[in-house]
Amino acid sequence: MDIQHVYTKKRSEFGRQVIFTDRAVESIADIPPNPDLSREYISRNPVELAIQNVREFSEHWVNTVRFETENRGINHVEGGWPKDINPLEPDQTSRFRKKTEKEDGFTRSMLSLGNLVEHTIKQNNIVDIYENYFQNLEPDVVEEAPYAKTVNIYRDPHKTRRAANHISWYADGARKLAVSYCNLEFQSGTNDSFIDSYIWDTENPTKPDLHLKPISPLVCIEFNPKDTHQLVGGCYNGQVCIFDTRKGSTAVEQSLIENSHRDPAYKTVWLQSKSGTEFFSASTDGKILWWDTKKLSEPVETLILDIEKKGRLENALGAMSLEYESTIPTKFMVGTEQGRIISCNRKGKNDAEKIGNVFPGHWGPVYALQRHPNFLKNFLSVGDWTVRIWSEEMRDDCIMWTKPSVHALTDGQWSPTRSSIFFTTKMDGTLDVWDILFKQNEPTLSIQVVDEPLHCLRVEEPHGRLVACGSQNGTVTLVELSDNLCVQGKSEKALVNGMFDRETRRAKILEARGRARRDARGKSAHGEKTEKATTDGATLESELKEADPIEKAEKDFWKIVDEEKRKRDRKAALAGEKAAAEAGETTQAEEAAPATAETTE
């Protein structure tokens, strides 16, 4: 295909118009030759030379050959079966094998092919060209310290400062980032007329690749893992909406507000399904709603998070985070606003059967919840000031936890490549990298990303080298990790598995000991009550109170307070007596002074 382009230029841009006229020859300059220089040159006759007193210009154009690419796929099936043979049917394949083996040429073919294969096998046994002779040798160098560097910074182009609440990586490579922007501060006075969110190209931090225009500010957003052009967003008014990058910036589908959440939709997660059109959402109104993009007018299914299993919405716990593993399609976990962690099963027929184990969780909202990528029975939760690692075998307490931080934690995630590493963000703008095999009392690496609170993070999969962090002022920072933070060692997975198993056994032993002590204390209290049925009730009540550690601690506390009060009263009394004594001495001195004067007179 020929490509032509016409270049146009105004007449005024060429300069003053040149007008040629005829006139006689005029000598402008006459420079005689230098006889000294003429001896150094050889004269030629004739000599022709073209001279111009202006700069020479040239114009060139070329049409390059267009390079066209195309994708081709091959449907590979087992063996070279004929068209009339279904390789998935054992009866047909066995009959075809027996028929082929009975043919006359089968034996001759196998013998001739066997000689070739035998010759190749002997050659391979003599020299193995793929043998690695140095795989057991370890390099005699010191491993470098872990580090991270900032790659790009993506700033919200709008002048109104909004927090970057959620980040989603492009499903097919680390090429794009979808970021939702929303101000979740209570009774904030900012102008919410601008509600756009963006899709950023990781190579272009100056301008968003696409503006997303929802019906309400987006609290969360997620790329569809099966259709990279499709995204689902949870809105501040409780609705959910679907975006398609091929159809523009506006939402192509959105739920009806009367069938949506009553609070902001804090999390949306795509489900593992054949169609790739199903997802579910969570909100602090106490509901989990399942949706299908083919019909967003109403949810497919609803779950009320009432841990008493009575289905009462007034008793439901508000959902803040969701955890869903595609390899376990029927199970999911919910982190609540009240700090509890609820394990659910979608196979249940009603809400009571869908709600399973309830873990105690944190003292505040659970901001992040994720299963370990390699050990699915263990999961991580982030809330208040700590990170806790749980095991599904232990329902009453976690198996590992971090030391309480000075600043509150806001988000966390496991590394997709290294089994022992997870990441957390804090309110002081710090990104912490924890390696539980290296040390548990402090992070392995702390990075001061920004000087404002960080609200979210998301690690790029499957390489785990890039970490995107969103801040309160809408700045998204892309951080690249060093090799030793994203490349797993040979025995790391086994060591982490052993650590989790060991901590689970320790927690089980401690739980069994505590249960045995409580049972023994209950039995002893019951036996004493039976034997001393006629004993004074006040004495028995005091013994039971002493057995309760909380009441004992309160009693000791008030005892210390009373002693401190008595000490202060005694000090005040002594000070009053001392002041009175000094006042009495002064009065006696004053009375004695006139008497002395009179005696002198």
Side-chain angles (χ1 to χ4, degrees):
M1 181 177 64
D2 295 335
I3 300 176
Q4 297 182 357
H5 184 77
V6 179
Y7 293 90
T8 59
K9 195 172 184 180
K10 294 182 179 180
R11 181 64 187 84
S12 60
E13 296 178 2
F14 283 97
R16 186 177 179 182
Q17 183 179 1
V18 179
I19 301 175
F20 298 96
T21 58
D22 295 332
R23 66 176 183 176
V25 178
E26 181 182 356
S27 176
I28 299 176
D30 185 9
I31 303 175
N34 189 348
D36 296 333
L37 295 177
S38 62
R39 290 192 293 269
E40 298 179 3
Y41 292 91
I42 299 174
S43 60
R44 291 188 305 169
N45 189 19
V47 177
E48 294 180 0
L49 179 65
I51 298 175
Q52 291 286 346
N53 62 347
V54 294
R55 186 181 302 173
E56 294 184 359
F57 293 93
S58 63
E59 182 180 359
H60 301 275
W61 66 91
V62 63
N63 289 329
T64 58
V65 179
R66 186 185 180 97
F67 183 73
E68 297 182 357
T69 61
E70 64 178 53
N71 296 325
R72 293 183 179 180
I74 300 175
N75 184 19
H76 178 73
V77 296
E78 181 187 357
W81 298 97
K83 294 182 179 180
D84 55 343
I85 301 297
N86 186 4
L88 301 178
E89 294 291 337
D91 296 338
Q92 296 183 19
T93 55
S94 62
R95 284 198 301 268
F96 182 77
R97 285 194 185 98
K98 291 178 181 179
K99 180 182 177 181
T100 306
E101 291 172 359
K102 291 179 181 180
E103 294 180 356
D104 297 335
F106 178 76
T107 305
R108 292 193 301 271
S109 301
M110 292 301 296
L111 290 175
S112 61
L113 292 173
N115 294 330
L116 296 174
V117 173
E118 184 180 2
H119 176 71
T120 307
I121 292 174
K122 288 181 179 179
Q123 282 185 335
N124 188 61
N125 290 337
I126 293 173
V127 178
D128 185 6
I129 62 174
Y130 299 106
E131 182 179 359
N132 187 0
Y133 297 95
F134 309 104
Q135 61 181 353
N136 296 325
L137 297 179
E138 296 182 359
D140 190 15
V141 294
V142 180
E143 187 177 358
E144 62 178 355
Y147 66 91
K149 61 181 180 180
T150 301
V151 179
N152 270 329
I153 298 176
Y154 312 92
R155 292 183 172 86
D156 185 1
H158 196 260
K159 60 182 180 180
T160 303
R161 296 295 90 186
R162 306 170 298 161
N165 291 305
H166 195 267
I167 300 172
S168 178
W169 281 97
Y170 190 63
D172 187 14
R175 293 183 295 166
K176 295 182 180 180
L177 278 173
V179 185
S180 63
Y181 296 84
C182 181
N183 193 352
L184 294 176
E185 294 181 2
F186 180 68
Q187 292 183 346
S188 61
T190 58
N191 184 16
D192 292 335
S193 59
F194 189 79
I195 59 177
D196 287 8
S197 293
Y198 312 112
I199 295 178
W200 294 90
D201 189 337
T202 54
E203 300 296 333
N204 183 16
T206 59
K207 183 180 179 182
D209 189 59
L210 181 66
H211 287 247
L212 301 178
K213 299 182 180 298
I215 50 179
S216 178
L218 290 179
V219 182
C220 61
I221 192 168
E222 284 289 344
F223 273 108
N224 190 340
K226 288 194 173 182
D227 186 359
T228 55
H229 300 285
Q230 199 174 54
L231 301 95
V232 60
C235 300
Y236 185 77
N237 63 354
Q239 292 179 271
V240 293
C241 53
I242 302 296
F243 295 93
D244 195 327
T245 56
R246 296 165 294 187
K247 298 181 180 180
S249 300
T250 58
V252 295
E253 294 286 344
Q254 61 191 30
S255 62
L256 297 178
I257 193 166
E258 58 267 20
N259 295 330
S260 303
H261 294 285
R262 297 295 178 264
D263 285 350
Y266 279 94
K267 291 294 178 183
T268 53
V269 178
W270 290 97
L271 291 171
Q272 178 69 21
S273 61
K274 293 181 180 179
S275 60
T277 59
E278 299 179 8
F279 66 94
F280 66 118
S281 60
S283 173
T284 50
D285 63 352
K287 290 182 180 180
I288 304 292
L289 302 180
W290 282 267
W291 305 87
D292 194 326
T293 58
K294 299 176 182 178
K295 185 183 178 182
L296 277 184
S297 58
E298 59 181 359
V300 178
E301 196 175 343
T302 303
L303 171 63
I304 297 176
L305 295 175
D306 182 8
I307 59 176
E308 297 179 359
K309 299 182 179 181
K310 295 180 181 179
R312 296 180 179 177
L313 188 59
E314 59 271 15
N315 297 334
L317 303 181
M320 289 287 294
S321 56
L322 283 176
E323 195 287 324
Y324 175 76
E325 176 60 38
S326 58
T327 57
I328 314 175
T330 59
K331 290 186 178 180
F332 64 95
M333 305 183 76
V334 183
T336 63
E337 191 178 18
Q338 291 76 14
R340 302 289 186 89
I341 301 172
I342 306 174
S343 176
C344 304
N345 190 347
R346 195 183 176 186
K347 279 188 175 181
K349 298 179 181 179
N350 50 39
D351 289 358
E353 294 181 2
K354 290 178 183 178
I355 296 177
N357 297 333
V358 179
F359 299 87
H362 297 264
W363 297 107
V366 181
Y367 294 112
L369 195 63
Q370 186 192 12
R371 288 184 185 272
H372 197 284
N374 298 323
F375 314 108
L376 299 181
K377 67 178 181 180
N378 300 103
F379 59 93
L380 170 144
S381 65
V382 176
D384 46 61
W385 299 270
T386 60
V387 178
R388 299 177 184 268
I389 300 175
W390 305 78
S391 173
E392 289 186 340
E393 301 175 4
M394 296 296 302
R395 192 170 60 180
D396 296 334
D397 199 2
C398 59
I399 60 173
M400 297 178 67
W401 61 92
T402 61
K403 185 174 66 174
S405 172
V406 177
H407 303 277
L409 305 181
T410 55
D411 202 357
Q413 186 181 351
W414 288 106
S415 170
T417 54
R418 287 202 54 184
S419 302
S420 63
I421 284 184
F422 62 87
F423 307 89
T424 59
T425 52
K426 296 191 296 186
M427 291 295 288
D428 62 344
T430 304
L431 171 66
D432 290 339
V433 184
W434 294 79
D435 190 343
I436 55 178
L437 280 182
F438 184 62
K439 51 184 174 181
Q440 295 86 27
N441 57 346
E442 61 180 359
T444 303
L445 179 65
S446 292
I447 310 156
Q448 187 68 38
V449 180
V450 289
D451 295 331
E452 61 211 32
L454 289 176
H455 282 203
C456 60
L457 72 92
R458 184 62 69 92
V459 186
E460 171 261 336
E461 296 181 8
H463 303 97
R465 185 176 294 274
L466 299 176
V467 183
C469 306
S471 69
Q472 187 174 5
N473 289 340
T475 302
V476 178
T477 307
L478 191 61
V479 178
E480 184 178 1
L481 305 175
S482 58
D483 291 338
N484 49 12
L485 292 177
C486 54
V487 179
Q488 183 161 262
K490 294 181 179 179
S491 58
E492 180 177 345
K493 187 175 180 180
L495 292 173
V496 174
N497 189 22
M499 175 183 288
F500 286 163
D501 291 342
R502 182 174 64 253
E503 294 299 326
T504 303
R505 288 196 300 271
R506 178 190 63 82
K508 285 182 179 179
I509 292 172
L510 293 177
E511 184 181 3
R513 286 182 180 177
R515 192 184 304 111
R517 289 178 180 176
R518 288 193 298 269
D519 294 343
R521 190 182 297 118
K523 288 180 181 179
S524 61
H526 181 70
E528 291 177 1
K529 187 176 180 180
T530 305
E531 293 176 0
K532 302 178 181 180
T534 58
T535 310
D536 188 14
T539 306
L540 183 60
E541 184 179 357
S542 64
E543 292 178 357
L544 293 175
K545 284 185 177 180
E546 290 178 359
D548 191 351
I550 297 177
E551 294 184 1
K552 183 179 179 182
E554 290 182 354
K555 185 177 179 181
D556 294 342
F557 173 76
W558 290 114
K559 184 178 179 180
I560 293 171
V561 172
D562 294 337
E563 290 179 357
E564 189 67 24
K565 285 183 177 180
R566 286 195 293 270
K567 288 180 180 179
R568 291 185 178 182
D569 293 341
R570 284 199 297 270
K571 287 182 180 180
L574 292 174
E577 292 177 359
K578 186 176 181 180
E582 291 177 355
E585 291 176 358
T586 305
T587 304
Q588 292 177 3
E590 291 175 353
E591 292 176 353
T596 306
E598 290 175 2
T599 307
T600 305
E601 290 176 358

